[in-house]
Structures are given as C-alpha cells and as structure tokens.
Amino acid sequence: MNATSFSALFGSPSAAPFDVDWDMVESWLGVPLPSDYKAVVSAYGPLDIGEFIWLHAPCVQPGRFDYATWLKGTHRDCRIASRDVPPYEPPAFHPAPGGLLAWGTTRACSELFWDTSASDDPDQWPVVVFHRDAMNRGTSPWHIYESSLLETLAAVVGTGLPLPGGDTLGPLPATAERTAFLPDAAPWTPPVPEPEIVPEAQRRAALTNGTGLDAIRLLAPPPEEPYLGDGTWEQLFDALGTRLPTEYVTLIELYGAGCMSNWLRFVPPTRHGTSGLAQYVESSLGDYRDLRAEFPEEQPLPVWPEPGGFLPFANSIDGDQLGWLVQGDPDSWPLIVYPRHSDQGPPLPGGLVDTLLDWLRGRLTTPDFPVLDEDDDPLDFIGFDSWNAEAYD
C-alpha cells in the first residue's frame, strides 16, 4: 500500500501540505524512515486516524508538542512501564541499534512503533504495539504485527487488529483529519546542543567523585547572574522571624531562583511582595493550617512559629514542599518533605546540600524525590533552569 492508496482509503488532506526536511530528520535520528510514512506526513502532516490513532509527525507546536521530546519520552515511559510485568524485560529502543522507534499513539494510551531490527530496509519494518491495559492482566504489553505502517492502518480500519491481553484495535472509521491539538504545528528542527559550560568528562566524574556544593556545581552549573530578589537577607529574616540555615543561603546565592533538574523549584528569597519567599511561606503555611484543621491526621506537622514548626522554602512540580522543622540552631534544622501524593514521612537523614547531591547522583532512597530508571543517563536529567525578575513580573 502506498500514499496514493492511503488517499483513496482516507480521503484528501484536510489541511495544507506539511513541509518536512527529511534529510535533516533522518540525519538526527541516524536511520532512514519508511517511505510510506514520509509520503503521508508530507501530504497530511500530523493526523488523527479513525478518531483514535494519532500519527505523529516531525513537527513542533509550543506548549503542545515537540517531536524530539515526545520521541524520547515515549521510549523512556514504555521502557520503564514494561518492567512492571516480570519476568519480561523491555526491548531496546532507539537510539540503540535496532531499537524500537515510535511513530504514534492511541487515545487508549497504547504506543505504536517500528521494529528497526527487522531489516536494513525501513520499508520492511513491521509495526509493534505497546498496549498498557495488558499489564493490568499480567501479560506482556508487546505485540508485533507482520505489516508495514500503511498496511497496519488499512487493517485497523478494516477488520481491526488483535492487541495483547485479548483486546482489539479497531475496526475504526476510515477518517484522517489534522490532529486537533496541533492546528498550528510547524516543521520541527533538531534541538541545538547547549553550550558545554563544564566538560562532560568532569560532570560524569562528579557523579561519583567529590562532595558538597563543589560536586553539585559541576553536575548542575549555576547561572552567571542568579536572581535572588530586590531585598536583603536581613529583611527576609525579619519578615520570617528567624535566620535560615547557612547552607541554604550559600546554595541560593550561587543558584538563585529556578528549577533544579526539572523538578525542584526555588523561589526568589529576597523578592518583596508576591512570589518572594516571605509571601510563599505565609501562603503555604496558611493553606497547611486550614488543611490541618480539617484533616489533622493527614497534616501532622506543627507549623512555624510553633515549636518545631514546618517552614517551607521550595516546592516540586508535583506539588510537594521541601522545608525544615524549626528547632534549635538553624544549621541543625532537620530537612523534611511535605508530600503532595503520599503520607507524611519522617525528616530526611541529611542536610540540604548532601540531600541534593545524593538525589542528583541517583543515590537518594527516600520516596519523596523522583528517581531515575536504571537505564537512564543521569546527565540527561541534571541541570538548573534559572529564572530572572521578568519571570515574576
């Protein structure tokens, strides 16, 4: 089945042709792509097939879709999820030689790939499906169809195809419309490598060597101009009613406001008014008191300025809060996480800098911080995204 046959089955394109630099895309991928896929994408762009299958294209729409991000995220998610069905081991994924290469997904959260190990000719690559619902039944979520992309789509809108675990993909209506959430999709270009502030060899060595803030600044190079706010530390301490631990002050003076490894967010400590640490503490603790009054068993911590009270200073993209229990000398305050999606746990065993370093290295055992998969490269995830004053104006 070729692109002409696709048009005969699904109808003419509903949007303007999609301009893709296939040489550039294939050079970035390191493999050629099937000719039927390239022909369809060039004529149709990203597609919603049968109101159920999204055929993704090398495109980008800010805030909605980026081809490289989707590809890497899909491969990683499926690799991790497929380990939940022991003793099954996940297959290889691109860019590993012969690895599975994603091209689409379904509204039921199943993912669609090509098996690039099947042939040196991409037109002979069979389609592979990862069906998440099969894992709930304790069976392998993977199934290989002995058909190319367009042959598979023709079968899906004809008789339907079997899915792992006893489900069926299709039959679907023979419709192919521009993906609704990508109305303004533009051709994608490969991400530009970020400047190497610290040589990779030094960063990789810091995964195992070095201690404290010296190791952290190698793993996650700090910004040239950290943003702390428009006030002073003394003004902040007066507003909070307490000094803060020295290691926090030293860390924030080096990094300022921003997000560590796309998860842990530090607010500008000395910013006056909204978005500063003093306002963040007041708002967060007010919310905590209200919840504690209604659900005391789920919010068991005292709240600053109560003795041993919780004092937050950072939060995660998942809604967790990182703070201290204020008791005694600030430099000996226990560090604790107020978790958003689990029960309250005990204080963390280490201080802020050592905890961050263990987390970046993948050695932190607490369930309150996200962990990497065993096949992840930590350097792909470690970094610091700095925020300036304009981010808060």
Side-chain angles (χ1 to χ4, degrees):
M1 184 179 183
N2 54 33
T4 301
S5 301
F6 181 89
S7 179
L9 179 60
F10 290 97
S12 301
S14 61
F18 206 74
D19 185 19
V20 178
D21 186 337
W22 291 110
D23 289 340
M24 177 188 65
V25 172
E26 292 174 328
S27 176
W28 179 81
L29 288 170
V31 293
L33 291 170
S35 58
D36 55 2
Y37 171 75
K38 292 190 290 185
V40 169
V41 167
S42 295
Y44 290 80
L47 284 177
D48 185 346
I49 296 172
E51 301 180 353
F52 193 75
I53 294 176
W54 285 302
L55 186 151
H56 290 309
C59 68
V60 61
Q61 183 167 321
R64 295 287 187 89
F65 184 83
D66 175 84
Y67 179 66
T69 301
W70 170 76
L71 201 66
K72 294 178 180 179
T74 299
H75 293 176
R76 181 176 186 264
D77 289 346
C78 291
R79 183 186 74 217
I80 295 172
S82 63
R83 288 202 181 95
D84 292 338
V85 192
Y88 186 77
E89 283 298 316
F93 291 88
H94 181 273
L100 297 179
L101 179 61
W103 60 262
T105 189
T106 76
R107 292 177 187 261
C109 297
S110 296
E111 311 295 343
L112 296 156
F113 300 81
W114 291 292
D115 179 4
T116 70
S117 70
S119 174
D120 292 334
D121 179 2
D123 291 337
Q124 301 301 314
W125 290 348
V127 169
V128 178
V129 66
F130 175 83
H131 185 51
R132 296 179 186 273
D133 286 349
M135 295 189 297
N136 298 329
R137 303 181 181 111
T139 61
S140 169
W142 297 99
H143 182 77
I144 301 176
Y145 300 118
E146 299 299 328
S147 56
S148 66
L149 169 67
L150 294 189
E151 291 169 342
T152 300
L153 293 178
V156 166
V157 299
T159 60
L161 288 171
L163 287 169
D167 293 330
T168 302
L169 179 59
L172 302 176
T175 59
E177 302 290 338
R178 176 63 63 88
T179 304
F181 60 82
L182 298 176
D184 301 316
W188 171 85
T189 56
V192 177
E194 295 184 3
E196 193 176 63
I197 301 173
V198 176
E200 181 181 340
Q202 291 186 30
R203 295 186 69 213
R204 201 162 293 282
L207 289 171
T208 54
N209 300 327
T211 60
L213 200 53
D214 288 340
I216 290 179
R217 64 191 303 166
L218 290 176
L219 291 169
E224 292 184 1
E225 299 181 3
Y227 175 64
L228 277 70
D230 47 2
T232 67
W233 285 110
E234 290 303 325
Q235 289 171 331
L236 172 64
F237 298 159
D238 287 343
L240 294 177
T242 179
R243 302 189 68 82
L244 297 179
T246 303
E247 64 173 356
Y248 166 77
V249 174
T250 303
L251 176 78
I252 297 302
E253 285 185 340
L254 181 63
Y255 283 93
C259 187
M260 182 77 74
S261 294
N262 296 312
W263 188 75
L264 186 61
R265 302 180 295 198
F266 296 96
V267 298
T270 66
R271 180 181 172 89
H272 290 304
T274 61
S275 304
L277 183 58
Q279 187 274 337
Y280 171 74
V281 168
E282 180 181 359
S283 175
S284 298
L285 294 186
D287 292 341
Y288 192 95
R289 290 189 186 95
D290 291 342
L291 288 170
R292 187 177 63 175
E294 189 171 359
F295 307 104
E297 69 282 356
E298 296 179 11
Q299 276 74 222
L301 299 177
V303 175
W304 171 254
E306 299 171 25
F310 176 60
L311 178 62
F313 63 87
N315 60 69
S316 79
I317 62 172
D318 298 315
D320 312 283
Q321 294 190 47
L322 183 64
W324 302 283
L325 297 180
V326 180
Q327 52 191 45
D329 184 345
D331 290 335
S332 63
W333 289 350
L335 192 67
I336 193 168
V337 174
Y338 167 41
R340 174 66 178 82
H341 300 288
S342 60
D343 294 336
Q344 180 63 58
L348 301 176
L352 175 60
V353 169
D354 287 343
T355 296
L356 290 179
L357 182 57
D358 284 344
W359 171 50
L360 296 178
R361 286 172 167 172
R363 298 176 181 175
L364 195 62
T365 58
T366 174
D368 296 322
F369 279 70
V371 297
L372 297 180
D373 181 63
E374 61 189 66
D375 289 331
D376 285 334
D377 182 350
L379 295 189
D380 288 341
F381 297 85
I382 297 174
F384 187 79
D385 182 17
S386 178
W387 300 333
N388 57 28
E390 294 178 357
Y392 299 92
D393 293 336

